Amino acid sequence: PNQTSKFTVLIMGGSQGAVRLNDAALELVPFFRAWSVQLIHQTGSLDYERMAAAYNKLGFNGVELSAFI
């Protein structure tokens, strides 16, 4: 990778999402932030609003959040 690219992680729990996987991603935010990891996170439609609020509360803006990709 060049100097301007970031390591990117794709998180997806299927079209319905996976609550435990979503919760695990939130637990890892300090790691993602420390290592400047960028996330693409498919939350599932039922968990999208909760996850958007949680990332916002944590002040983590290194995530591209989608209900479904």
Side-chain angles (χ1 to χ4, degrees), residues 27 41 46 48 54 57 60-61 63:
E27 292 171 15
H41 188 162
L46 298 177
Y48 178 82
K57 184 177 179 179
F60 185 64
N61 60 3
V63 61

Side-chain angles (χ1 to χ4, degrees), residues 12-17 42-46 67-68:
M12 51 188 306
S15 63
Q16 301 275 324
Q42 176 186 296
T43 63
S45 59
L46 298 177
F68 183 73

Side-chain angles (χ1 to χ4, degrees), residues 35-62:
W35 289 92
S36 298
V37 173
Q38 172 180 290
L39 300 181
I40 300 172
H41 188 162
Q42 176 186 296
T43 63
S45 59
L46 298 177
D47 215 12
Y48 178 82
E49 294 298 326
R50 179 181 77 91
M51 292 302 295
Y55 279 123
N56 188 50
K57 184 177 179 179
L58 291 169
F60 185 64
N61 60 3

Side-chain angles (χ1 to χ4, degrees), residues 8-14 17-29 32 37-44 51 55 60 62-69:
T8 302
V9 173
L10 172 63
I11 301 171
M12 51 188 306
V19 173
R20 182 61 194 122
L21 184 62
N22 291 343
D23 290 343
L26 292 175
E27 292 171 15
L28 290 169
V29 164
F32 295 142
V37 173
Q38 172 180 290
L39 300 181
I40 300 172
H41 188 162
Q42 176 186 296
T43 63
M51 292 302 295
Y55 279 123
F60 185 64
V63 61
E64 180 182 316
L65 202 60
S66 298
F68 183 73
I69 299 172

